[in-house]
Amino acid sequence: MKADTHPNFVEVQVTCSCGNTFKTSSTLGKPNYHIEVCSECHPFWTGKQKVMDTAGRIERFRNKYGSKSA
């Protein structure tokens, strides 16, 4: 590799709002990061995905199409 071409990677500590901590590398050089969502608490990775049905769309769909037979 050429000298002075690539950025320096430093080890950083990442803390999630759920309390999970892990170490990774970063080029910014800040020693600590705070994030809101990580792989331990993200709904896609945990399988606990919430469906927000504030307007009743799912219930209207089930009432309209749910009782019809094929």
Side-chain angles (χ1 to χ4, degrees):
M1 291 194 305
K2 291 183 179 180
D4 299 329
T5 303
H6 301 283
N8 293 328
F9 282 94
V10 295
E11 190 172 273
V12 296
Q13 181 76 23
V14 180
T15 305
C16 180
S17 60
C18 70
N20 184 30
T21 59
F22 56 93
K23 291 185 180 184
T24 189
S25 298
S26 174
T27 59
L28 293 178
K30 291 173 33 179
N32 296 317
Y33 285 102
H34 183 75
I35 58 175
E36 296 176 6
V37 179
C38 67
S39 62
E40 296 291 322
C41 62
H42 193 278
F44 180 79
W45 300 111
T46 60
K48 299 177 183 176
Q49 198 159 0
K50 298 176 185 174
V51 177
M52 299 296 288
D53 185 26
T54 57
R57 294 182 196 138
I58 296 173
E59 190 61 36
R60 281 187 294 178
F61 179 84
R62 287 183 181 153
N63 289 338
K64 188 174 182 179
Y65 299 107
S67 61
K68 293 185 179 181
S69 60

